[in-house]
Amino acid sequence: MITRSGWGLAVASVLVYAAGAPFGYTQSAVLAAAGLAAVGAGALWTLRGARLEVRREVTPMKVTRGEPAVAILHVRNTGRWRHSGLVARDTCRDTTVTVDVPALARHTARTVSYRLPTRRRGPTPVGPLLLDRADPFGLARRSLAYGRTDLLLVRPRTVPLTPLHSGRRRHLDGLASRSAPAGASSFNGLREYVIGDELRHVHWRSTARTGVLMVKELTDVNLPDTVTVLDTRPSSYEGDDEFELAVDVVASAACAVTRDRFPVRVLTGEGEIAHATGGPGEDEDVLDRLATVNRSATAEPPLHALRRVRGGGALVLVSGSFTALADAAAVRRRFDQVVFVRVGDAGEGPVPRAAGVTVVEVGDLADLAASWPH
């Protein structure tokens, strides 16, 4: 492909010839021929096949919004000729990242790295990777696509929070967790024995019948559970920054529960997006699912979602408008503790209140950590 410089030289050569030929200036014909020849030579230069092995790695594949993600590019020259003037162009969503590749002698390899933009949350396609090869004078360029498109997942930010008190009694004789077989007193099922299980939980009748050592799996029926609701109506937010902060708040509240191995449900105006039961590593799944949340014109008010969930435990409702405070107040008697978080700049006048609801107003995540109820 002829570059702008190449087209400019070609047009200038034609104009020089057109201006000098009628007056018999042979120099103009020589200059015009030289210019066109240079453009043609540049095009032939880029048409020459380049035997390259190109591989791109993205690390890490999952990253918190705003934290660094790096692409590492490995380029190897497997041909007989030296290659220079190589420029790599990688597309990351709507941003193009350009990096120069050092000259490659025959049978040599180079590795370059570059940062990828992570300011926007969500699944972020990286690629396709284009390698531009230009002639020494920049008159022609050829682009070749290499490799596949990778998917970088940009997840919401979080701050450490303490789980809300649900007002329920916790057992004192063991861990209050579904994953702890000896941590409670309610029968949940049978499973095969693993090293470390207490022999007093062996179910001998099932063991005799199956020939396999079976133990009783117990669960704490008084586990404190939490429901978090994200208001996804576009009218509830003034802009993208407010909504991103709301997602960060929900992620922080939900992960505070899952990291302590307690159940949590995450709801939006379009339904449930995550349901953690208290198992290990479920905070990662919650973050992955919240990475894909967007505002929707078809989203229902939070109250509609809350009417479909079982009461009890704690409720966290996050919105960019105080109009959703009435939804939290309407269901306050069904939950042991209700927290309403309004994100955005502080408005003029007093903060609205509702009986039985803890109201928190935050402008960033630092405000959330400082004002979160303990």
Side-chain angles (χ1 to χ4, degrees), residues 218-229:
L218 305 178
T219 184
D220 190 342
V221 296
N222 292 319
L223 276 175
D225 55 2
T226 303
V227 175
T228 60
V229 182

Side-chain angles (χ1 to χ4, degrees), residues 344-367:
D345 296 332
E348 298 180 357
V351 176
R353 300 295 177 184
V357 179
T358 302
V359 180
V360 178
E361 189 174 19
V362 300
D364 53 39
L365 281 182
D367 291 343

Side-chain angles (χ1 to χ4, degrees), residues 105-182:
R106 54 181 297 184
H107 304 301
T108 60
R110 295 283 189 175
T111 299
V112 294
S113 62
Y114 46 95
R115 292 188 58 169
L116 300 173
T118 59
R119 60 184 180 274
R120 292 178 57 187
R121 176 185 51 84
T124 304
V126 181
L129 174 69
L130 299 178
L131 203 60
D132 295 339
R133 182 164 177 260
D135 70 286
F137 300 103
L139 302 178
R141 179 180 293 111
R142 185 184 182 189
S143 297
L144 295 175
Y146 289 90
R148 67 183 189 280
T149 298
D150 293 312
L151 187 63
L152 170 67
L153 186 63
V154 182
R155 306 195 293 188
R157 299 180 299 148
T158 61
V159 291
L161 301 175
T162 56
L164 296 174
H165 300 295
S166 66
R168 297 186 174 195
R169 177 175 58 87
R170 293 177 62 180
H171 288 283
L172 301 179
D173 57 351
L175 296 173
S177 171
R178 295 186 192 275
S179 60

Side-chain angles (χ1 to χ4, degrees), residues 45-63:
W45 177 282
T46 58
L47 287 177
R48 188 184 65 184
R51 299 178 60 184
L52 300 173
E53 292 180 356
V54 181
R55 179 170 56 90
R56 186 236 291 116
E57 301 175 18
V58 176
T59 180
M61 296 301 295
K62 297 179 181 180
V63 65

Side-chain angles (χ1 to χ4, degrees), residues 101-325:
V101 179
L104 289 166
R106 54 181 297 184
H107 304 301
T108 60
R110 295 283 189 175
T111 299
V112 294
S113 62
Y114 46 95
R115 292 188 58 169
L116 300 173
T118 59
R119 60 184 180 274
R120 292 178 57 187
R121 176 185 51 84
T124 304
V126 181
L129 174 69
L130 299 178
L131 203 60
D132 295 339
R133 182 164 177 260
D135 70 286
F137 300 103
L139 302 178
R141 179 180 293 111
R142 185 184 182 189
S143 297
L144 295 175
Y146 289 90
R148 67 183 189 280
T149 298
D150 293 312
L151 187 63
L152 170 67
L153 186 63
V154 182
R155 306 195 293 188
R157 299 180 299 148
T158 61
V159 291
L161 301 175
T162 56
L164 296 174
H165 300 295
S166 66
R168 297 186 174 195
R169 177 175 58 87
R170 293 177 62 180
H171 288 283
L172 301 179
D173 57 351
L175 296 173
S177 171
R178 295 186 192 275
S179 60
S185 58
S186 178
F187 178 75
N188 188 51
L190 295 173
R191 60 173 174 81
E192 293 186 13
Y193 173 86
V194 295
I195 297 177
D197 287 337
E198 296 187 29
L199 291 178
R200 64 190 179 95
H201 293 299
V202 173
H203 195 268
W204 297 108
R205 183 176 299 176
S206 298
T207 299
R209 185 174 63 252
T210 63
V212 178
L213 197 60
M214 304 294 292
V215 296
K216 293 180 288 185
E217 188 174 39
L218 305 178
T219 184
D220 190 342
V221 296
N222 292 319
L223 276 175
D225 55 2
T226 303
V227 175
T228 60
V229 182
L230 173 64
D231 187 356
T232 53
R233 295 172 297 175
S235 59
S236 298
Y237 303 92
E238 293 185 0
D240 294 339
D241 291 341
E242 282 191 358
F243 181 71
E244 291 302 318
L245 178 58
V247 178
D248 294 343
V249 171
V250 170
S252 299
C255 288
V257 179
T258 57
R259 285 166 184 163
D260 273 6
R261 307 281 290 273
F262 294 137
V264 64
R265 298 181 67 182
V266 182
L267 310 175
T268 70
E270 293 188 304
E272 182 178 276
I273 63 171
H275 185 190
T277 59
E282 288 186 317
D283 54 325
E284 295 293 317
D285 181 62
V286 169
L287 290 174
D288 289 349
R289 293 177 181 271
L290 283 172
T292 63
V293 171
N294 293 299
R295 287 171 288 179
S296 173
T298 61
E300 296 179 333
L303 183 59
H304 292 187
L306 289 171
R307 284 173 175 167
R308 294 191 291 266
V309 299
R310 180 173 58 87
L315 167 65
V316 180
L317 174 55
V318 183
S319 177
S321 172
F322 277 117
T323 58
L325 177 58

Side-chain angles (χ1 to χ4, degrees), residues 330-349:
V331 296
R332 69 185 186 277
R333 297 184 183 277
R334 295 176 50 203
F335 295 90
D336 300 321
Q337 185 175 7
V338 178
V339 176
F340 174 79
V341 183
R342 186 262 179 183
V343 299
D345 296 332
E348 298 180 357

